[in-house]
Amino acid sequence: MSEFFKDIPEIKFEGKDSTNPFAFKYYDAKRVIMGKTMEEHLPFAMAWWHNLCAAGVDMFGQATADKSFGQTPGTMEHAKAKVDAGFEFMKKLGIKYFCFHDVDLVPEADDINETNRRLDEISDYILEKMKGTEIKCLWGTANMFGNPRFMNGAGSTNSADVFCFAAAQVKKALDITVKLGGRGYVFWGGREGYETLLNTDMKFEQENIANLMHMAVEYGRSIGFKGDFYIEPKPKEPMKHQYDFDAATAIGFLRQYGLDKDFKMNIEANHATLAGHSFQHELRVSAINGMLGSVDANQGDPLLGWDTDEFPCNVYDSTMAMYEILKAGGLTGGFNFDSKNRRPSYTFEDMFHAFILGMDTFALGLIKAAEMIEDGRVDNFIKERYSSYNDGIGKKIREKSTSLTECADYACKLKKPELPGSGRQEYLEGVLNNIILR
Ligand code: XLS
Ligand code: CA
Ligand code: CA
């Protein structure tokens, strides 16, 4: 079999002083941090769609990158060449996981029966390829947004026939996810929302999305899927409004419809910022609700209001993300680079530079987050900040052993409280700088 990335060596760790563009500066897979190796902390995954399929097409221009891998796009030979290229790519980078949509793996046929046959063929091929490697599936999903039938949604569509096509795709994508040993299964509701409320029965649509998810859980468990289902929140794009707006909204939805035992969040950094939140905020909301599952590792552009899916390079963001993740005890899923090269970065070398950047950014984030925790200044400050609840009336409030009247009497006796203490934001930001920049 031909080597696709011929001039690119296996990427090794060389340390921060290395200037080798094909070496890790921070990601040292076997280095132990807080009792686990970096590769255990950071199960990185390759997104099939960006890395092996996307060729730089945008709203204004054609492809700039050649992702044909020597075959004619739209054929099964091409689908297999993508598998070969993907496995060579992952092996060279030491990446152990991949994520896919059904239609990333094979060209979609007019008849769903033929698409399913192709999916059987390609998943056999991938399974064969996995043998003798440590590479596995992180999560699978069904693309229920690209085909015109999903113009009005998938679970939320007005057409019962289309709902059944969504069900058929979820069923098949679950089959393949289980076949490839996937840790999770994702629902990203790109068309689950509305363009105008004038034509929309919101309650009806949300109930149907929940119905589809219940069916998926029931079927998944029946074929032995033991992993987590994930909702990946995103507030908008492609729809004007999407029901899985952010983590808090999605968690509320899961609880409302009794899905919270089987589902967790897959938090994407760029989606967080589109919702007007930080990545850290979305991770914190998920973690405090016991819903932190997996991460789509990317970043947006602060000057652009859409989903740019850039490879992460911001170490402040990755440090705060890893701080949340370490505090939550890690992810049950992993770090999927739902990220794409910029359109002018169209060469095979650029694909490697992008992953080296992303992996190093999260590795450095992990190192710095662990230093923050070990340093203790931030955590000690927070502990101290709430210390008025350690005894006296504060303790009674925490233990729910007081009443509105007792609290009010307490206040009246005090006459006037002292100010609650400085938030010390600038001091803490200085501590963060001190740790990140040392
Ligand atoms: C799009 C989403 C999508 C999901 C999987 O914005 O990020 O790629 O991760 O369907
Ligand atoms: Ca995205
Ligand atoms: Ca994503």
Side-chain angles (χ1 to χ4, degrees):
M1 187 190 311
S2 58
E3 195 183 350
F4 295 95
F5 309 106
K6 277 201 195 67
D7 303 323
I8 296 163
E10 212 178 287
I11 311 299
K12 302 227 167 71
F13 170 73
E14 289 186 5
K16 69 180 172 55
D17 295 326
S18 167
T19 55
N20 177 358
F22 294 105
F24 294 119
K25 317 295 181 292
Y26 302 98
Y27 180 64
D28 182 3
K30 301 293 173 205
R31 174 172 166 189
V32 174
I33 291 185
M34 292 179 72
K36 284 202 283 184
T37 62
M38 272 198 172
E39 68 176 344
E40 286 168 335
H41 280 290
L42 299 167
F44 289 125
M46 176 192 76
W48 214 270
W49 54 102
H50 285 312
N51 208 44
L52 303 172
C53 309
V57 175
D58 72 10
M59 306 263 269
F60 300 92
Q62 301 163 5
T64 55
D66 180 3
K67 300 272 175 87
S68 63
F69 302 111
Q71 300 294 336
T72 309
T75 62
M76 282 306 282
E77 287 69 38
H78 180 232
K80 287 179 185 166
K82 287 198 294 185
V83 177
D84 297 339
F87 272 75
E88 183 190 329
F89 185 84
M90 289 186 277
K91 277 188 210 159
K92 283 192 166 163
L93 279 155
I95 287 185
K96 306 269 172 65
Y97 295 93
F98 59 87
C99 298
F100 68 88
H101 299 86
D102 44 4
V103 302
D104 303 333
L105 300 182
V106 294
E108 200 176 3
D110 281 341
D111 178 341
I112 194 169
N113 295 292
E114 171 59 13
T115 308
N116 286 347
R117 193 205 59 74
R118 293 178 187 176
L119 285 167
D120 289 337
E121 187 182 334
I122 205 73
S123 49
D124 284 344
Y125 192 74
I126 296 175
L127 208 53
E128 204 42 48
K129 201 89 199 174
M130 282 166 58
K131 285 192 184 144
T133 76
E134 290 181 86
I135 298 172
K136 286 184 283 298
C137 170
L138 181 66
W139 53 256
T141 188
N143 178 324
M144 304 193 292
F145 45 89
N147 192 297
R149 64 177 167 260
F150 296 121
M151 64 170 76
N152 295 338
S156 64
T157 179
N158 57 306
S159 157
D161 287 359
V162 173
F163 182 100
C164 293
F165 271 79
Q169 278 187 242
V170 170
K171 179 170 180 280
K172 193 69 189 172
L174 268 166
D175 286 337
I176 298 173
T177 302
V178 171
K179 181 170 168 182
L180 302 177
R183 274 195 191 185
Y185 184 87
V186 163
F187 280 87
W188 170 63
R191 304 268 178 205
E192 311 289 35
Y194 60 81
E195 294 298 332
T196 172
L197 284 173
L198 283 172
N199 65 13
T200 301
D201 186 335
M202 191 192 279
K203 186 165 185 284
F204 183 96
E205 293 198 356
Q206 294 203 359
E207 285 169 1
N208 269 4
I209 296 170
N211 281 343
L212 181 62
M213 288 177 173
H214 272 293
M215 290 177 194
V217 170
E218 195 189 356
Y219 179 74
R221 299 306 180 212
S222 81
I223 59 165
F225 176 61
K226 299 210 166 41
D228 289 320
F229 289 86
Y230 302 121
I231 282 187
E232 183 182 320
K234 184 177 182 183
K236 57 190 168 193
E237 199 201 5
M239 294 301 255
K240 183 170 89 171
H241 176 88
Q242 283 162 205
Y243 296 135
D244 301 327
F245 192 93
D246 60 3
T249 312
I251 291 167
F253 169 87
L254 292 173
R255 289 187 178 146
Q256 160 91 357
Y257 292 106
L259 288 156
D260 49 314
K261 299 281 170 293
D262 293 283
F263 274 79
K264 287 192 166 70
M265 294 296 113
N266 180 41
I267 296 299
E268 178 175 319
N270 203 163
H271 297 181
T273 49
L274 286 179
H277 303 308
S278 64
F279 185 24
Q280 184 187 7
H281 168 93
E282 287 293 82
L283 294 169
R284 177 80 61 95
V285 169
S286 305
I288 64 171
N289 284 286
M291 288 275 182
L292 181 56
S294 207
V295 159
D296 269 14
N298 64 14
Q299 69 182 38
D301 185 307
L303 302 182
L304 301 175
W306 62 90
D307 195 12
T308 56
D309 286 343
E310 295 171 28
F311 275 88
C313 70
N314 185 320
V315 176
Y316 280 84
D317 285 351
S318 68
T319 299
M320 297 320 297
M322 290 314 301
Y323 175 75
E324 296 301 326
I325 291 166
L326 285 176
K327 290 254 166 196
L331 298 175
T332 51
F335 297 79
N336 168 44
F337 286 110
D338 192 353
S339 315
K340 57 180 183 246
N341 282 100
R342 296 305 84 194
R343 191 163 178 264
S345 303
Y346 60 89
T347 72
F348 282 167
E349 286 83 359
D350 291 308
M351 289 164 66
F352 282 85
H353 293 323
F355 272 75
I356 293 168
L357 170 69
M359 291 164 80
D360 267 345
T361 300
F362 270 88
L364 188 51
L366 168 64
I367 294 167
K368 294 298 170 182
E371 284 180 21
M372 250 176 94
I373 292 169
E374 278 154 11
D375 173 275
R377 278 177 284 175
V378 169
D379 286 339
N380 289 340
F381 179 79
I382 293 175
K383 211 168 145 207
E384 181 55 32
R385 188 159 186 242
Y386 296 93
S387 61
S388 69
Y389 289 89
N390 290 351
D391 42 40
I393 190 72
K395 190 158 186 248
K396 288 175 100 177
I397 294 169
R398 294 300 294 159
E399 288 170 350
K400 297 192 181 68
S401 61
T402 181
S403 66
L404 198 66
T405 305
E406 192 184 359
C407 288
D409 289 347
Y410 178 90
C412 291
K413 235 181 259 158
L414 266 186
K415 295 193 184 113
K416 190 176 183 226
E418 282 175 23
L419 287 176
S422 167
R424 298 265 185 263
Q425 182 169 334
E426 297 76 7
Y427 159 72
L428 293 165
E429 287 167 346
V431 169
L432 182 61
N433 269 353
N434 176 231
I435 291 168
I436 289 187
L437 301 174
R438 70 186 169 206

